[in-house]
Every structure is written in structure tokens, then in C-alpha cells.
Amino acid sequence: MKAYIFPGQGAQFTGMGLDLYESSALAQEYFEKANDILGFSITDIMFEGTAEQLKETKVTQPAIFLHSVILAKVLGEDFKPEMVAGHSLGELSALVANGVLSFEDGLKLVSKRALAMQKACEIAPSTMAAVLGLADNIVEETCAEIDGVVVAANYNCPGQLVISGEITAVEKACEILTEKGAKRAILLPVGGAFHSPMMEPAREELAAAIEETVFSEPTCPVYQNVTASAVTNANEIKKNLILQLTAPVRWTQSIQAMIADGGTEFIEVGPGKVLQGLMRKIDRSVAASGAVLAE
């Protein structure tokens, strides 16, 4: 079975999407529509902006979403997903790709999500750290023993877990995890503690917007971050999407579930190759590639 996977924040690069815009009238139409919906020219920043401008959350998240979704649209008949998943922000791209959300509604939710997360980051200082080379249960148990908020946030691949929470609690966790044998436990250059209880204000704000949005039945199952299992019910998809901001991204488990359910060919749709790299660490026996436009 053909599985399409969609990247999250961090996959952006300067000049992203320009090749799509220049090679497809359909892509131009969607990019211009996006500029109208967002109320600013995101294409200017994507195509010609600096890395610094692209790093702004209100730009990064819509930019990655647009690159992914417009690429899927331009693939046309070649794009026939039998299962989809997206890493964090990428879940919204996946939901447009499998017909749950319209392009317009998906982009509006991504924009609201970005702004809500930015606001939540400003309420209290918080951060994330990557922990390499330890079993998940050791990381989870260590986080649970520390005073303050620190939780497992992204299960990216075996031996690579991202933790998230209050700065002091995350720093303390890094110290203890290094003592316990982590190859590395390093703070990440992020604006806040995504996928942790620190995102509760953002979850509440986004929940209101999600509740008002029409969710259709999907054309194929989506393996959601919260459940790491196939979901085909529109109301259940909506509920899981609301939980996603404060819950961990179970990416390793999602990919393993997709393979167990018959996924044999995984295609990353969007900027970069982050997910293809993670695929090789999760299961080397499965084909992983990036979506490309026909010449």
C-alpha cells in the first residue's frame, strides 16, 4: 500500500515552493489564494525571504503546509494515497490531502494554530530538548520524577525522543539523562514547549476554531499523532486534532502501525527529507522517497 507522509516545523528552507510556482498554473492559483487568506504575501517570504524571516512561527507553519498541500495538488492523478500521516503540523497537511479539510479551512487552521502556539510560548518560558541513545521508558520515567513540567513530546524514531516543558525542568532532565547514558541530551532552538501541558492555552484557542470547521469523511485512513492508529471517523479525527497540541507526537508508533497495516511504499510530500531519514531508522526494509513532479 502507498502511504504519504507530511513533514512538520523545521523542514523549511529559503526558496521553498518557487519551483512549484514557476512550473504550474494550478500551484500559482493556490499560492495566490493563500496570500489572500493570510492577508500578507507569504510567497515573497517563501521564495525570497531570509532563513530568519522563515523561522517566524506565523510564517513557518503555513509555509510548510502550503509546500506540502500544493505539491500534492499538482501531482494530480499521480497522488493516490491509501494511508496518510503527518508529523505534528504535518497532520493538517495530511487531512487536506485525504479530503477531511478543504484547502482554505486547512490553511486557516494552520495560521490560527501558529499564532496560538506563539502566544502560549510568550506566557511562560519553556523549551524542548532532543535525547539520543536511550530507551523510551528510561526517558519517560526520568521526566516523571522531576519537579516541574517536563514530558516526552516527539517519539521520532527508536533512540530519538524529544522532551518538552519548563526550561529548568528540561535542563534538569538533560543532566540526569546524560548520567543515565544518553549519547546526547541537547536543548533545541525552539520558541517553546510544543506537545506538552505548556500548550494548554493554545489548545483551548485552537479547539474553538476546530469545532467551527467542517470535517468530512476521509478518502483513506489517517494515522494520527495522538493515537498512532488508523482513524476514519471525521468526529474522532477532530477530537484527536484538538488533543494534539498538548499530547506527544507518536511518530515511531504511527509508522510501525502503518507498516503493520500493509504500508509498503512511503512518500514524503513537502520540503526537506526529515521524515525519509526517520523512516530509515524506524524500518530500513520499507521503501521511502520524496514526492517529485513529473518532468
Side-chain angles (χ1 to χ4, degrees):
M1 286 171 78
K2 206 174 257 195
Y4 285 87
I5 50 179
F6 298 83
Q9 206 158 330
Q12 70 276 6
F13 61 90
T14 50
M16 61 188 285
L18 182 58
D19 56 338
L20 281 174
Y21 190 92
E22 288 179 340
S23 64
S24 163
L26 181 65
Q28 282 180 27
E29 197 182 306
Y30 276 108
F31 275 121
E32 294 304 342
K33 194 184 282 188
N35 287 338
D36 290 343
I37 290 169
L38 294 170
F40 68 94
S41 182
I42 194 165
T43 48
D44 284 355
I45 304 172
M46 287 173 73
F47 303 163
E48 296 159 16
T50 62
E52 209 50 46
Q53 288 171 305
L54 263 180
K55 256 168 58 179
E56 277 187 72
T57 299
K58 74 163 190 173
V59 174
T60 315
Q61 294 195 22
I64 292 165
F65 168 87
L66 288 171
H67 192 289
S68 295
V69 170
I70 293 173
L71 176 53
K73 299 273 189 200
V74 173
L75 289 171
E77 282 301 301
D78 292 337
F79 183 76
K80 290 195 174 78
E82 293 171 277
M83 42 173 64
V84 295
H87 191 290
S88 188
L89 156 75
E91 188 159 286
L92 282 149
S93 308
L95 293 178
V96 173
N98 78 345
V100 171
L101 292 170
S102 69
F103 172 80
E104 293 81 359
D105 284 345
L107 180 56
K108 285 174 191 168
L109 284 181
V110 166
S111 181
K112 282 177 181 158
R113 180 185 192 271
L115 295 170
M117 287 169 80
Q118 187 63 47
K119 268 198 278 186
C121 292
E122 287 158 10
I123 292 170
S126 58
T127 193
M128 301 176 85
V131 181
L132 308 181
L134 278 182
D136 292 349
N137 64 312
I138 294 173
V139 180
E140 292 161 351
E141 286 158 16
T142 304
C143 288
E145 289 162 7
I146 288 169
D147 284 338
V149 177
V150 57
V151 295
N154 294 1
Y155 294 79
N156 285 334
C157 64
Q160 190 192 117
L161 187 51
V162 174
I163 59 174
S164 183
E166 293 167 329
I167 291 175
T168 50
V170 172
E171 286 174 342
K172 183 70 180 164
C174 286
E175 202 180 297
I176 295 170
L177 290 165
T178 303
E179 287 165 11
K180 289 186 177 181
K183 284 183 191 160
R184 293 178 81 185
I186 41 172
L187 293 180
L188 296 174
V190 293
F194 306 137
H195 301 287
S196 83
M198 309 288 286
M199 284 291 118
E200 182 56 29
R203 189 197 66 78
E204 286 173 12
E205 198 172 319
L206 194 63
I210 288 172
E211 290 294 0
E212 289 165 11
T213 304
V214 174
F215 278 56
S216 304
E217 294 300 314
T219 55
C220 69
V222 56
Y223 287 70
Q224 290 189 275
N225 294 175
V226 170
T227 62
S229 61
V231 187
T232 53
N233 177 281
N235 286 328
E236 203 180 323
I237 291 170
K238 185 181 269 198
K239 186 185 77 187
N240 291 333
L241 194 61
I242 290 170
L243 295 172
Q244 195 222 52
L245 279 187
T246 51
V249 174
R250 299 187 181 278
W251 190 251
T252 304
Q253 299 89 329
S254 297
I255 295 297
Q256 288 167 339
M258 292 169 94
I259 294 168
D261 291 348
T264 51
E265 188 186 348
F266 284 73
I267 300 156
E268 182 171 7
V269 188
K273 296 181 177 179
V274 172
L275 300 183
Q276 292 165 69
L278 295 180
M279 278 297 307
R280 283 189 281 278
K281 290 173 182 164
I282 295 167
D283 191 332
R284 287 195 86 84
S285 69
V286 180
S289 60
V292 286
L293 295 176
E295 290 301 320

